[in-house]
């Protein structure tokens, strides 16, 4: 395999490029689905089947922390902060794998630039909604599948990660 930067360096580049968006949309954004999930989580609406229950409970946990810290904005910034770090991490791993593969080097660089400057990625990274987490779970599953295909003998950790990613894909989709 070719030499490439560690994934965290690509993740840091992406995150640094995304941070100006957070300045303008602080503490993050809410989709219509997330408003419904919040109302379900706090009991203003009965649980429905439009949103995954796991996602609603996840949002409820972040809301619990935000309330304990005394501010609803903390709920959103914590959720969006962790979600955006995970997204940058996953995309960093993807770019590292591209750079180490037989793909042309320019494709890895173009992908890094695309993920860094395309506003869709930071806007989704800083948005509370079910689709972002599901997309990240699918990407994680695909990265695990790729890793398993690359190994001669399956690694116990990668098998465990692949199982966790598969379970997340199921839990984050209704």
């Amino acid at each position: 395999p070719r030499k490439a930067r560690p994934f965290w360096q690509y993740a840091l580049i992406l995150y640094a490029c995304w941070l100006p968006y957070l300045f303008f949309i602080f503490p993050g954004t809410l989709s219509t689905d997330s408003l419904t999930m919040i109302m379900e989580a706090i009991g203003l609406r009965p649980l429905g089947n439009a949103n995954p229950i796991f996602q609603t409970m996840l949002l409820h946990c972040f809301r619990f922390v935000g309330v304990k810290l005394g501010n609803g904005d903390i709920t959103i910034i914590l959720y969006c902060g962790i979600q955006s770090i995970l997204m940058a991490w996953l995309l960093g791993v993807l770019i590292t794998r591209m750079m180490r593969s037989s793909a042309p080097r320019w494709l890895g660089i173009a992908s890094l630039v695309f993920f860094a400057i395309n506003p869709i990625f930071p806007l989704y990274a800083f948005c509370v909604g079910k689709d972002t987490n599901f997309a990240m779970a699918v990407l994680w599953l695909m990265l695990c599948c790729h890793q398993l295909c690359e190994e001669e003998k399956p690694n116990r950790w990668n098998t465990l990660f692949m199982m966790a990613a598969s379970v997340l894909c199921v839990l984050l989709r209704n």
Side-chain angles (χ1 to χ4, degrees):
R2 291 188 307 198
K3 195 169 182 174
R5 294 179 185 272
F7 75 88
W8 59 267
Q9 289 181 354
Y10 295 121
L12 281 176
I13 292 168
L14 291 173
Y15 207 76
C17 291
W18 295 351
L19 277 178
Y21 287 91
L22 182 59
F23 176 77
F24 289 105
I25 62 171
F26 185 83
T29 60
L30 297 168
S31 69
T32 351
D33 289 336
S34 55
L35 291 174
T36 304
M37 285 187 285
I38 289 171
M39 289 192 290
E40 289 175 352
I42 60 177
L44 292 177
R45 262 182 113 155
L47 287 173
N49 65 355
N51 298 305
I53 299 216
F54 179 77
Q55 178 76 22
T56 303
M57 293 304 115
L58 183 66
L59 189 54
H60 178 68
C61 291
F62 277 92
R63 184 187 163 277
F64 178 79
V65 172
V67 167
K68 288 294 181 193
L69 295 175
N71 188 331
D73 287 349
I74 293 173
T75 300
I76 305 303
I77 193 62
L78 279 175
Y79 186 95
C80 291
I82 291 171
Q83 177 176 266
S84 59
I85 289 168
L86 288 173
M87 182 183 276
W89 173 70
L90 286 167
L91 292 173
V93 171
L94 175 65
I95 293 165
T96 298
R97 297 252 179 99
M98 288 174 70
M99 296 295 225
R100 289 182 181 160
S101 74
S102 58
R105 185 163 172 74
W106 67 263
L107 186 60
I109 294 167
S111 297
L112 176 64
V113 170
F114 179 75
F115 294 143
I117 66 171
N118 186 330
I120 294 295
F121 292 95
L123 291 176
Y124 267 97
F126 297 120
C127 177
V128 177
K130 61 185 178 189
D131 297 330
T132 305
N133 285 334
F134 179 69
M136 290 190 313
V138 170
L139 176 56
W140 188 29
L141 179 61
M142 294 302 102
L143 289 168
C144 290
C145 287
H146 177 262
Q147 185 67 32
L148 275 175
C149 290
E150 293 287 310
E151 296 175 349
E152 287 183 31
K153 183 179 178 193
N155 176 319
R156 180 182 310 146
W157 283 107
N158 194 39
T159 304
L160 183 65
F161 291 152
M162 186 168 172
M163 289 170 33
S166 300
V167 168
L168 277 176
C169 284
V170 171
L171 290 175
L172 291 169
R173 195 44 56 197
N174 48 342

